[in-house]
Amino acid sequence: MAKIFYPDFFNDVFGPIMQPGSSTSFAGNSRIGRVASHTVRGGVKRVKIRFNPEDRGHIQRLGNMMEDRALLGGIQGFAADDERLFSAHELARKKNISYEFGIMDQGNEYLFSTQFDVENSAGETGRLIGASIGGGMIMIYEINGFPVVWQGDTHAILVEKTPSSIGAYDEFLKFIDIRNRDIPGGVFIQSSPAKTANGHEAWFVELSTFIPDEELEAFFVPGDFLVFPAILPVVTFNGRKSQLFRTVDEWIDLAEREGISFVQAAIEYEKAFSGWDDDRIWDYFKNIREILYNQIHALEDRGTFPVADTPLLPVYGKQWKRRRDTGKVLQDPLTSRILDYAFSTNAKIPGVKIVPGPMGTGGGYLFSALEGVREHRGFSVEKQLEGLVVAAALGAIAYSLCRASGASGCVGESGICCAMASGAITWMAGGSGEQVQNAASMALQSNIGIPCDPIPGGLEFPCLTRTVRAAVTAPLYADMSLAGIDPLIPYHEMLLVIEEIRLKHGEAVSGHGCGVNCTATAARCRQFLAAEVMEGKLKWEAVEDSSSPEGKLVPEGRNSL
């Protein structure tokens, strides 16, 4: 049975729940590292993390979005919401794990992928090739030389074909068949054959339920199989329904056809994908709201000034608070309050969990606008939760029709967040489905064409200016829509334009060779990143000799990379 997989509220839009940082660079890379940690048994003692020669600039930018800590933390088994990710280098050295970042000797066919070569204490080796593809989502291409196509959306078992496993595999399938009868929807998703370049064969089995090693050892010897737990919160299962809508017009039609509210139609979308009931979905939204609420109040809760700056990110909320405390700010009270929350979002305080939406801190910026408006207008928390559902559905539509990431330019990140927030606020204020669409379209129109050009080592610029603008302008587009202004272009058509521009002009709207990265100052920031931030972090060789317990730095040859 073929898998059904399409953009989801909790896998793609509001996800993953993570430590503060980029969903692509930090969360996605930590997820790839976690998968790589399962290519050997008993924990990793040595790892080489390497990038394609065609992506040589990757290693020169390493550290800007904390990719190094994500990759190295993931290989130690840290999930995206684990605060230990920030100490990945120190903890790896404490555990005597040798590691090295570098360039592959020979490139592979998977552009922008990362290759992990790992070894455990018994000398067993493993290899994984995968990529962070945006919004915390991942794609795994190879496991120990076996080609696979896996997004971490199922529990997977790689069973190598050996004389002992061939007969046992049939018995295993009978065991799974019994499980299928006992569990509604079954547990078996699919089994795909895989073959290495030198002819070794395996089965890649995907299940909706995790099966522990001890149960598998009733069928296979330990050396014949590896288990890879699902990474995504919503696991693929048999019985998933087709996508209920891909445009706001279809969403409105569904609500009218079924005689349900606009919000309930969005809930039905998630039920079709996840198989969860209404209560479980609403509970997950409540959890998201609590995380976002804590994030936007984090500076206030800590007193702002005690929060530590980092080499790559000053806490700009300190400067904003000083300005605000003078009583001379030029902004109106609502905008000022949204700015309070947006600067708390930007602070990226370790230990304060976040929820992307779609960009790493996008959920926080979006919620800054929703909470500012809720307080200012006296809306209920229940109405705000409905707004989050509306925002999630707008995000799922965006993921369905375009690349909702920096690959599409800043409109693919802060622009879509602004659209989601604008539509959500419109709903909170009593707007209709049509007005939600109009507000979201206006937000995208105002953001189209802006490049995604974060400066490596550039202290969060120009991202800060754009994400804050997205938060404070969301109520503007809601008001324009509620005033009856028609933006002419439907939301989905704007998304299709975003995708067309990405395909035609990708280098102009995304990357380190466009936008403000063309300035001389940006070049100096890149030098600062390479020379100071990543100094001594590209290679570490553990020393087992008890007289030298702390390992040693290895010359990195950084300038030659």
Side-chain angles (χ1 to χ4, degrees), residues 145-147 193-202:
F146 293 103
K195 182 186 287 189
T196 66
N198 59 11
H200 292 165
E201 295 182 83

Side-chain angles (χ1 to χ4, degrees), residues 462-479:
C463 306
L464 175 65
T465 59
R466 296 169 188 164
T467 49
V468 170
R469 181 177 70 93
V472 299
T473 56
L476 163 67
Y477 304 120
D479 263 335

Side-chain angles (χ1 to χ4, degrees), residues 235-301:
V235 177
T236 295
F237 69 103
N238 287 324
R240 175 171 287 164
K241 297 178 182 178
S242 299
Q243 188 172 8
L244 293 187
F245 53 79
R246 287 167 54 89
T247 69
V248 179
D249 294 332
E250 291 176 356
W251 179 6
I252 293 170
D253 289 344
L254 173 66
E256 293 177 348
R257 185 171 65 251
E258 298 296 326
I260 56 179
S261 71
F262 188 62
V263 168
Q264 185 59 39
I267 295 294
E268 294 300 319
Y269 178 107
E270 180 58 34
K271 288 167 68 175
F273 182 88
S274 65
W276 297 1
D277 61 20
D278 289 66
D279 289 343
R280 186 176 179 185
I281 292 169
W282 281 109
D283 285 345
Y284 205 94
F285 273 110
K286 290 174 184 176
N287 183 45
I288 287 172
R289 182 192 180 274
E290 182 179 1
I291 292 169
L292 294 173
Y293 184 89
N294 290 336
Q295 181 189 6
I296 67 170
H297 287 91
L299 279 184
E300 291 180 349
D301 292 344

Side-chain angles (χ1 to χ4, degrees), residues 72-91:
L72 191 56
I75 206 71
Q76 296 175 70
F78 304 156
D81 63 350
D82 194 324
E83 191 175 351
R84 290 178 295 175
L85 286 170
F86 293 101
S87 304
H89 286 274
E90 295 80 2
L91 292 171

Side-chain angles (χ1 to χ4, degrees), residues 58 155 157-158 163 297 305 324 376 440 489 496 498 540 553:
H58 195 146
H155 302 282
I157 307 167
L158 181 70
H297 287 91
F305 295 106
R324 197 163 191 259
H376 189 68
I489 305 170
L496 293 173
I498 291 171
W540 173 263
L553 289 172

